[in-house]
Amino acid sequence: MSARRIFSRPARFAAIAPYVWMVLFFLVPFAFVAKISLSQTAIAQPPYTPVFSLAGGWSSLSDAFAALSPDNFRLLLSDDLYLSSYLRSVVVALTSTAILLLIGYPIAYGMARLPRRWQGIAMMLVIIPFWTSFLIRIYAWVNILQHDGLLNQILLALHLVSTPVVWLSTDSAMYVGIVYSYLPFMILPLFATLTKLEPALEEAAADLGASPREIFWLVTFPLSLPGVGAGSLLCFIPIVGEFVIPDLLAGSKSLMIGQTLWLEFFTNKDWPVASSIAVVLLVVLLLPLLLYDRLQRRQLEESR
Amino acid sequence: MADDIATPEPAAEPTPSPEPRPDPQPPILRIENVVKTFGSFRAVDGVSLDIRAGEFFALLGPSGCGKTTLLRMLAGFETPDEGRILLSGEDIAQVLPHERPVNMMFQNYALFPHLNVRDNIAFGLRRAGMPRAEITTRVAEMVALVRLEGLEKRKPDQLSGGQKQRVALARSLARRPQVLLLDEPMAALDKKLRESTQFELMELQRRLGMTFIIVTHDQEEAMTVASRIGVMKAGKLEQVAVPRRLYEEPASRWVAQFVGDINLFEGEVTAREPHRLRVSTASAGELVAAQPVAPIDESKVAVAIRPEKIRLALRRPAGDAAAINCVEGIISDTSYLGGKTVYKIRLDGGAAIHAAQANTARLDADGYGLNQRVVAWFTPDDCVVLER
């Protein structure tokens, strides 16, 4: 009897559900975006040519295919604006991820060491901010950081500064917003890895003469690396494409790629360029994922 | 609790136990009135114990008896609330685990999953700041000792249960601790492997001359490996003795029942003779037992007899033997176990007893069948009188 029989029909369907989801809501839309990225902008509805039309028959479809060109991608390479936006996005994402790791790790570590009945409460506290809309929380930061905001009022009241400090529309404000918003995404995977860690491992290290510092760096940290990887990716990837936080909190001197994309799409109404930005962004984001995957696979093979 | 050093040798013991003589030197490990409480629960409740250098000592007890807590205090993972722990005469109760000359082999081995066999074994040596060349030699030595040659580069999850166990042993021995603590080291192995590992462990301990303290809930394992056993119950040491004494002269009813199988006849002392006690029991009439090692003042006692010390026959034996400790009953159950057969006998008095007969001949010459009427008897010397 085949082992598959143990799954009933609905259960087997459930196994392919994620693939159906991926095809419907990722691959198909991505195909649309990829096609638009190879089109040319036009004053029309929709605002690009060529448009695939099934009504015109095979000849019009093949004409449309022939009209596709990678011109938009050439533009992305030739204009500094795009390159510097990508670069800034990656730098901001890397810096933010590093800060998130530095803040999130000790919090997750402390949570994992709480008695079990307190862990649930600690987890609630981490998740609770999600109950308020993301946009409202960022606007709250605008309020706190603005010229006559809460932060400046406190600093003035404590006589730490004599005139209000400019917080809003600076990179610092943007980093505060990003770190604040993404902290739970860093803490939760780290917490999950750290709680699974067998306490006997740390005891064994202590028994073999490791000081508390050595226990952390030689046992706890290396074994929490999967959590570090997951948390970092979970933060890095969306931060690269972040639009709202830099738009509301950072200055307008240099743009992140999400902002550039928004400008192309809504202000310039250039859908093809906006689409090609999105396609390149996806490739940029896939690279670290593939690298990470390959690294893990190599480690597995080495240990064999 | 009864310390076997303190109690005098019994006068009428047929074969003296191979008792280690008290050492004139102080013990390597002295545990003095150690108490450990968790909340209101007294996990270890006033334990005192001396362990001599080179001993293979077993802490035996059911789960929750405090044996693991005691071991963890020796390793430094728990601090005693009261009492002292002296290692080579030095109080180590407050010394941190990583500063103790004691190593522990953990129950589930606690091997570092990210390090290979070599690095797992070298972990403790590197922490001790041993020169690189010396580490290489010592690791090779340890790998050879536990016969893991060729597996040095493997990660723990690429090893079998038995191999993991060997790595854990090698890792805990690498620093040459004064005392090696073993927390249920064979619990995860299957029966056959466990038995062969027990003998290897004993051989290793003899060869290294190191002091081993093992915690186990398996009395057979404790009897096999240990030169001396401490039986724990509810945080207290019930008895400390060599395996033979533990079995043949249990200090309490609880020890008698925990270590091996035993038949108990409740009764009252009717007469005290120089070497004998006469006990009147409800289930087996009058029984005669040898005077216990530690005199019993109580009149309410239990006469205990191990199943293999009961003799069976179809008819009452002739002569003197028939006069005492002879009961009759019907075989209600038999279990053939290969080396021996255990008979469950329902006595005429109502009680049920177990009698074990060694199967010394291949052909079933003297087996008994179900519902057969048999006579069971035993000598006074084979009885142990216990307080109720």
Side-chain angles (χ1 to χ4, degrees):
Chain A
M1 187 178 122
S2 142
R4 280 179 196 205
R5 290 270 175 86
I6 58 169
F7 295 111
S8 61
R9 212 170 282 260
R12 251 182 284 166
F13 177 73
I16 61 162
Y19 297 98
V20 174
W21 182 274
M22 273 293 278
V23 169
L24 277 182
F25 299 109
F26 177 72
L27 284 182
V28 171
F30 182 72
F32 286 139
V33 173
K35 188 260 153 190
I36 298 172
S37 74
L38 297 168
S39 308
Q40 288 84 46
T41 178
I43 302 171
Q45 191 65 260
Y48 54 85
T49 58
V51 178
F52 284 170
S53 158
L54 292 172
W58 178 247
S59 62
S60 79
L61 261 183
S62 61
D63 283 351
F65 263 108
L68 295 179
S69 85
D71 282 350
N72 297 314
F73 292 96
R74 284 196 198 105
L75 175 76
L76 293 192
L77 282 175
S78 61
D79 195 330
D80 265 3
L81 169 74
Y82 305 109
L83 281 178
S84 66
S85 295
Y86 279 121
L87 200 65
R88 176 167 160 84
S89 288
V90 170
V91 169
V92 167
L94 279 177
T95 316
S96 310
T97 306
I99 299 171
L100 280 162
L101 198 56
L102 283 178
I103 297 175
Y105 200 104
I107 295 176
Y109 187 85
M111 278 169 66
R113 258 153 195 68
L114 284 175
R116 203 147 281 274
R117 63 206 153 92
W118 290 105
Q119 285 183 353
I121 296 169
M123 198 124 99
M124 273 299 272
L125 291 175
V126 171
I127 297 169
I128 268 179
F130 283 114
W131 292 6
T132 313
S133 152
F134 167 70
L135 213 54
I136 290 174
R137 282 182 284 135
I138 297 304
Y139 271 112
W141 275 109
V142 173
N143 255 296
I144 292 169
L145 298 175
Q146 68 197 5
H147 187 74
D148 55 352
L150 197 63
L151 184 59
N152 275 334
Q153 286 181 28
I154 291 171
L155 290 177
L156 288 169
L158 293 173
H159 298 287
L160 288 171
V161 292
S162 49
T163 52
V165 183
V166 177
W167 297 108
L168 207 57
S169 306
T170 63
D171 277 4
S172 322
M174 178 190 64
Y175 281 118
V176 166
I178 290 176
V179 168
Y180 165 79
S181 305
Y182 284 91
L183 198 55
F185 296 100
M186 183 58 92
I187 291 177
L188 293 180
L190 279 173
F191 172 71
T193 330
L194 287 169
T195 39
K196 267 189 288 172
L197 218 89
E198 215 189 313
L201 291 176
E202 292 178 337
E203 286 184 349
D207 186 67
L208 292 165
S211 63
R213 181 186 298 242
E214 285 173 316
I215 294 173
F216 179 79
W217 287 113
L218 297 171
V219 177
T220 315
F221 187 72
L223 289 176
S224 69
L225 281 177
V228 171
S232 300
L233 281 178
L234 221 52
C235 292
F236 178 81
I237 291 173
I239 294 172
V240 171
E242 186 55 62
F243 165 74
V244 175
I245 300 173
D247 212 51
L248 291 178
L249 297 177
S252 51
K253 264 183 291 169
S254 51
L255 300 177
M256 281 178 69
I257 195 65
Q259 294 167 283
T260 309
L261 192 148
W262 195 89
L263 279 178
E264 289 295 351
F265 201 86
F266 293 101
T267 311
N268 289 351
K269 293 261 188 298
D270 194 339
W271 288 21
V273 168
S275 299
S276 54
I277 290 174
V279 171
V280 172
L281 181 59
L282 188 80
V283 173
V284 168
L285 291 180
L286 275 179
L287 275 176
L289 268 179
L290 291 177
L291 266 175
Y292 180 73
D293 189 56
R294 186 181 235 184
L295 214 74
Q296 275 199 322
R297 227 171 273 188
R298 189 179 302 168
Q299 270 181 340
L300 262 178
E301 272 158 26
E302 262 176 22
S303 62
R304 236 155 257 277
Chain B
M1 101 168 222
D3 195 334
D4 65 317
I5 306 170
T7 49
E9 289 282 329
E13 200 183 46
T15 43
S17 317
E19 194 87 354
R21 293 289 116 204
D23 208 60
Q25 286 170 345
I28 187 159
L29 192 69
R30 166 162 278 178
I31 300 165
E32 276 180 12
N33 284 315
V34 163
V35 174
K36 178 70 188 177
T37 55
F38 296 110
S40 60
F41 174 64
R42 290 172 86 85
V44 173
D45 195 0
V47 167
S48 295
L49 180 65
D50 279 356
I51 289 166
R52 293 178 288 265
E55 223 180 341
F56 200 145
F57 190 91
L59 280 168
L60 174 67
S63 51
C65 71
K67 57 189 192 301
T68 300
T69 307
L70 185 58
L71 196 77
R72 289 174 59 80
M73 284 194 278
L74 300 182
F77 301 132
E78 310 282 356
T79 354
D81 296 331
E82 287 169 40
R84 297 198 303 166
I85 297 171
L86 302 166
L87 182 70
S88 306
E90 200 185 325
D91 192 348
I92 57 161
Q94 306 300 326
V95 176
L96 292 170
H98 67 275
E99 287 159 350
R100 293 187 181 203
V102 164
N103 282 124
M104 175 146 152
M105 187 180 151
F106 289 78
Q107 180 166 9
N108 295 313
Y109 315 137
L111 297 177
F112 304 124
H114 58 304
L115 301 180
N116 63 24
V117 170
R118 184 197 304 273
D119 291 336
N120 260 290
I121 298 174
F123 190 93
L125 304 174
R126 298 212 172 103
R127 304 290 80 71
M130 192 185 256
R132 196 175 276 263
E134 241 177 280
I135 290 179
T136 313
T137 342
R138 180 74 67 87
V139 170
E141 193 185 307
M142 286 297 140
V143 165
L145 189 73
V146 296
R147 295 187 281 111
L148 280 170
E149 293 97 337
L151 301 177
E152 292 94 332
K153 293 239 170 97
R154 296 259 189 107
K155 291 268 178 74
D157 61 357
Q158 297 166 316
L159 299 173
S160 72
Q163 290 166 340
K164 279 186 207 172
Q165 202 256 7
R166 286 157 191 279
V167 178
L169 186 61
R171 187 179 71 175
S172 55
L173 283 172
R175 282 164 67 103
R176 300 204 176 129
Q178 287 188 33
V179 176
L180 180 71
L181 310 172
L182 304 106
D183 186 7
E184 304 266 9
M186 284 164 269
L189 303 180
D190 60 62
K191 194 173 183 322
K192 263 273 179 288
L193 190 56
R194 189 158 60 221
E195 280 164 7
S196 61
T197 311
Q198 284 165 359
F199 284 105
E200 282 172 27
L201 203 61
M202 286 164 73
E203 211 232 78
L204 200 66
Q205 190 264 346
R206 261 198 302 269
R207 191 136 53 98
L208 299 172
M210 218 179 256
T211 312
F212 279 26
I213 303 175
I214 185 174
V215 153
T216 178
H217 66 275
D218 179 346
Q219 48 117 347
E220 248 178 78
E221 181 170 294
M223 303 263 256
T224 306
V225 299
S227 53
R228 216 152 54 104
I229 299 173
V231 183
M232 280 188 82
K233 177 201 169 196
K236 290 193 162 80
L237 269 176
E238 282 276 308
Q239 186 174 9
V240 180
V242 298
R244 190 195 174 88
R245 272 203 151 178
L246 205 61
Y247 188 76
E248 305 293 4
E249 293 163 41
S252 70
R253 223 179 132 133
W254 188 85
V255 173
Q257 286 179 304
F258 184 72
V259 180
D261 195 7
I262 202 154
N263 298 297
L264 292 169
F265 300 99
E266 316 270 350
E268 265 185 68
V269 179
T270 50
R272 290 170 197 271
E273 291 163 15
H275 293 294
R276 306 239 155 140
L277 279 183
R278 285 184 182 276
V279 181
S280 145
T281 68
S283 50
E286 190 192 60
L287 297 178
V288 180
Q291 188 67 262
V293 179
I296 290 178
D297 301 327
E298 289 280 329
S299 68
K300 285 184 191 301
V301 295
V303 177
I305 177 89
R306 298 280 181 196
E308 74 281 3
K309 303 214 167 41
I310 294 179
R311 263 155 267 187
L312 294 180
L314 292 173
R315 271 172 286 280
R316 278 183 175 262
D320 277 359
I324 53 165
N325 297 350
C326 195
V327 290
E328 285 185 41
I330 287 170
I331 300 210
S332 64
D333 216 339
T334 68
S335 321
Y336 176 76
L337 301 173
K340 63 179 181 182
T341 303
V342 177
Y343 297 100
K344 197 169 170 188
I345 302 161
R346 197 166 358 94
L347 298 183
D348 294 344
I353 61 166
H354 287 170
Q357 304 290 289
N359 294 324
T360 49
R362 193 172 68 85
L363 300 173
D364 188 14
D366 36 40
Y368 301 96
L370 220 53
N371 297 323
Q372 203 163 10
R373 191 163 181 82
V374 291
V375 176
W377 81 92
F378 41 89
T379 66
D381 281 340
D382 287 334
C383 295
V384 180
V385 178
L386 299 166
E387 281 180 43
R388 253 204 261 172

